C-alpha cells in the first residue's frame, strides 16, 4: 500500500530496538551506553543533591489523579505514537459487513459506503480497455504528455506528498501538524480500501488479460477500489476543508484543483496497467466519503452523506477514463447517494490535531 511506505522511516527508527532487527542483534550504540554510565558516575554526588520535582505540566496538574484520555497530552507524545492513538480514534466506530458479493463499511451501525463486485464479463471488457491504453501509451512514448504521465506514475507509487505540497504552500517545518493530519487520512483511507479489497477480491487487469503488461509491479491485493484513488481523494477532501475559511465546506478556490489532482493520481494507476477505470471511480467515492467522515470527527457537528458503488451493474462499456473527472457520485450511474446524512460528533483527540493544523494556516478553532 502507498501508506506503508510513508511510515517506513519511523518504523525503521524503532525496529532496531523493538522489532526483528533488534532480535537479530542490531542494538543501540554500546559505546554510548558505557559513556552515559561513566558520565553518571562522575556526576553521582551532584545528582543525589538535586531535588525531586515535576517537569511535565500533566505531572503537576491538580487533575492528574482523575483525568484520563486528555487530548492535551497528545502534545507530549512522539509523532508515531500520536498517529497510533489518532488512527484508533478515527476507526474505532468502523466495522465491515460483507455478503453475496458486496461489502459495507459501517459507522456506529450505520452504512457509510456500500460496494458490490463487478461481474467477470464486465471485468474482461475493462481489462481490454486497460490493455488498449497501454498500447496507445507505447505507440506515443515520444509524446511529452505520455512521458510526463510515466514520470507521475513512478513518483506516485509512494504517497504523492510533493504534489499536494506543490498545489498548496506546505512544508514539513512550517506545517508539521498538517502533515500528521495527512498521515492519519492516509492510514484510515488505506485501511478502509484494503479491507474492502479483501472482501470483494476483484482480480487485477493483468490477471485477465496479459496484453495489459503493467509498467510497474502490481500490488499483491485486490483491484477494487483503487487504494491510490481512495487515499488521494481522502487527503484532498481533508485539505480542502482544512484550508477553507469556513471548514464546514470545501475551499472554493483550491477544492476543485485538489479534486482534479486526486483524479489524475487515480487515472495514472489505470495508465500504469494496475487498475480498471471503475477501480478509480470506486476509490474516489470511498475516499471522498472517508475524507468527509474524518473532517466531521475532527471538527464535530457535521453530517456525512453515505454513498454506494454498484459494481455489479457495470457492463464493461460504461466507463471512459478521461470523462471521469468530476465528482465520482456524478460520473456514473454506478455511484449514488445512499439514504440520509449521518450525524457525526466530534472526537476530542482528532479535534486537538485539527485545531493545531488549522492554526498553521492562520485560523483559530474549528
Amino acid at each position: 500500500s502507498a501508506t506503508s511506505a510513508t511510515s517506513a522511516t519511523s518504523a525503521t527508527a524503532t525496529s532496531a530496538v523493538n522489532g526483528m532487527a533488534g532480535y537479530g542483534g542490531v542494538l543501540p550504540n554500546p559505546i554510548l551506553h558505557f559513556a552515559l554510565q561513566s558520565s553518571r558516575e562522575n556526576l553521582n554526588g551532584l545528582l543525589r543533591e538535586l531535588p525531586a520535582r515535576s517537569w511535565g505540566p500533566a505531572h503537576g496538574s491538580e487533575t492528574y489523579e482523575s483525568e484520563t484520555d486528555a487530548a492535551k497530552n497528545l502534545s507530549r507524545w512522539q509523532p508515531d505514537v500520536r498517529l497510533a492513538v489518532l488512527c484508533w480514534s478515527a476507526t474505532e466506530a468502523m466495522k465491515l459487513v460483507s455478503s453475496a458479493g458486496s461489502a459495507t463499511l459501517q459507522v456506529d451501525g450505520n452504512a457509510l459506503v456500500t460496494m458490490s463486485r463487478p461481474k467477470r464479463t464486465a471485468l474482461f471488457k475493462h481489462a481490454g480497455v486497460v490493455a488498449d491504453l497501454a498500447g496507445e501509451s507505447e505507440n506515443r512514448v515520444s509524446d511529452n504528455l505520455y512521458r510526463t504521465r510515466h514520470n507521475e506514475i513512478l513518483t506516485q507509487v509512494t504517497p504523492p506528498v510533493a504534489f499536494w505540497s506543490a498545489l498548496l504552500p506546505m512544508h514539513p517545518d512550517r506545517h508539521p501538524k498538517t502533515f500528521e493530519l495527512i498521515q492519519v487520512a492516509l492510514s484510515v483511507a488505506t485501511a478502509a480500501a484494503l479491507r474492502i479489497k479483501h472482501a470483494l477480491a476483484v482480480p487485477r487487469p493483468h490477471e485477465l488479460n496479459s496484453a495489459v503488461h503493467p509498467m510497474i509491479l502490481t500490488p499483491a491485493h485486490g483491484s477494487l477500489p483503487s487504494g491510490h484513488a481512495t487515499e488521494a481523494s481522502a487527503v484532498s477532501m481533508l485539505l480542502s476543508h482544512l484550508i477553507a475559511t469556513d471548514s464546514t465546506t470545501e475551499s472554493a478556490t483550491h477544492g476543485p484543483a485538489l479534486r482534479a489532482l486526486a483524479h489524475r493520481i487515480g487515472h495514472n494507476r489505470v495508465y500504469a496497467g494496475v487498475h480498471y477505470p471503475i477501480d478509480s471511480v470506486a476509490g474516489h467515492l470511498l475516499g471522498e466519503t472517508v475524507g468527509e467522515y474524518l473532517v466531521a470527527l475532527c471538527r464535530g457537528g457535521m453530517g456525512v452523506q453515505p454513498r454506494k458503488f454498484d459494481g455489479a451493474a457495470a457492463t464493461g462499456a460504461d466507463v471512459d477514463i478521461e470523462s471521469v473527472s468530476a465528482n465520482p457520485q456524478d460520473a456514473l450511474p454506478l455511484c449514488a447517494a445512499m439514504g440520509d446524512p449521518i450525524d457525526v460528533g466530534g472526537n476530542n483527540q482528532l479535534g486537538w490535531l485539527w485545531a493545531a493544523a488549522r492554526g498553521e494556516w492562520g485560523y483559530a478553532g474549528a
Side-chain angles (χ1 to χ4, degrees):
S1 102
T3 305
S4 61
T6 304
S7 59
T9 302
S10 60
T12 301
T14 58
S15 64
V17 178
N18 301 323
M20 290 303 295
Y23 182 83
V26 182
L27 300 175
N29 186 347
I31 297 176
L32 177 61
H33 163 72
F34 287 111
L36 288 171
Q37 283 294 98
S38 62
S39 177
R40 183 189 184 283
E41 291 171 3
N42 180 261
L43 295 172
N44 189 44
L46 292 173
L47 292 175
R48 290 180 181 276
E49 295 176 5
L50 294 176
R53 59 158 294 177
S54 173
W55 291 100
H59 299 156
S61 171
E62 295 178 357
T63 61
Y64 173 70
E65 300 294 341
S66 60
E67 189 178 66
T68 56
D69 214 23
K72 64 182 181 182
N73 286 331
L74 287 167
S75 64
R76 300 176 55 224
W77 314 143
Q78 60 198 56
D80 60 319
V81 173
R82 260 198 307 271
L83 176 63
V85 172
L86 294 169
C87 286
W88 178 282
S89 297
T91 59
E92 60 183 338
M94 289 185 176
K95 179 181 179 181
L96 190 94
V97 178
S98 60
S99 64
S102 69
T104 297
L105 180 65
Q106 295 182 345
V107 172
D108 286 328
N110 300 304
L112 184 66
V113 176
T114 293
M115 294 190 172
S116 60
R117 177 193 292 132
K119 293 180 173 61
R120 285 181 60 83
T121 52
L123 288 179
F124 274 107
K125 293 180 180 179
H126 280 288
V129 171
V130 178
D132 290 342
L133 285 173
E136 182 180 1
S137 176
E138 181 181 350
N139 293 335
R140 299 184 60 185
V141 70
S142 61
D143 190 308
N144 186 61
L145 172 65
Y146 282 87
R147 290 206 308 272
T148 301
R149 190 179 285 275
H150 290 174
N151 292 336
E152 292 177 25
I153 289 168
L154 292 175
T155 54
Q156 290 169 358
V157 169
T158 55
V161 176
F163 293 82
W164 293 315
S165 298
L167 184 54
L168 298 176
M170 293 194 305
H171 191 281
D173 290 334
R174 292 197 302 265
H175 305 90
K177 294 301 184 290
T178 298
F179 279 85
E180 286 193 36
L181 195 61
I182 289 174
Q183 183 64 31
V184 172
L186 287 171
S187 298
V188 175
T190 298
L194 289 177
R195 186 63 185 90
I196 296 176
K197 283 173 179 281
H198 168 69
L200 299 182
V202 176
R204 294 277 182 166
H206 77 307
E207 295 181 277
L208 301 184
N209 190 330
S210 296
V212 170
H213 203 282
M215 68 174 65
I216 58 175
L217 179 66
T218 302
H221 49 71
S223 198
L224 189 148
S226 164
H228 274 66
T230 302
E231 294 165 1
S233 289
V235 171
S236 294
M237 179 64 66
L238 199 72
L239 289 175
S240 183
H241 281 266
L242 181 69
I243 65 173
T245 304
D246 178 4
S247 63
T248 60
T249 60
E250 297 179 58
S251 167
T253 55
H254 289 75
L258 284 165
R259 177 176 279 112
L261 174 59
H263 281 268
R264 174 77 176 190
I265 292 167
H267 291 173
N268 286 340
R269 301 292 284 181
V270 178
Y271 278 94
V274 298
H275 276 294
Y276 310 98
I278 52 174
D279 294 347
S280 290
V281 176
H284 293 310
L285 181 141
L286 176 61
E288 293 205 357
T289 309
V290 168
E292 288 178 4
Y293 177 66
L294 287 174
V295 172
L297 286 177
C298 286
R299 70 174 316 283
M302 285 181 58
V304 179
Q305 177 62 57
R307 300 183 178 100
K308 64 179 178 180
F309 173 80
D310 188 7
T315 65
D318 42 16
V319 177
D320 174 4
I321 183 61
E322 293 298 344
S323 70
V324 184
S325 57
N327 290 339
Q329 305 93 285
D330 303 329
L332 292 170
L334 303 180
C335 302
M338 183 174 60
D340 297 325
I342 302 172
D343 292 328
V344 178
N347 177 277
N348 288 337
Q349 317 294 339
L350 289 163
W352 174 88
L353 181 60
W354 179 260
R358 287 272 290 171
E360 294 172 348
W361 296 94
Y363 301 114

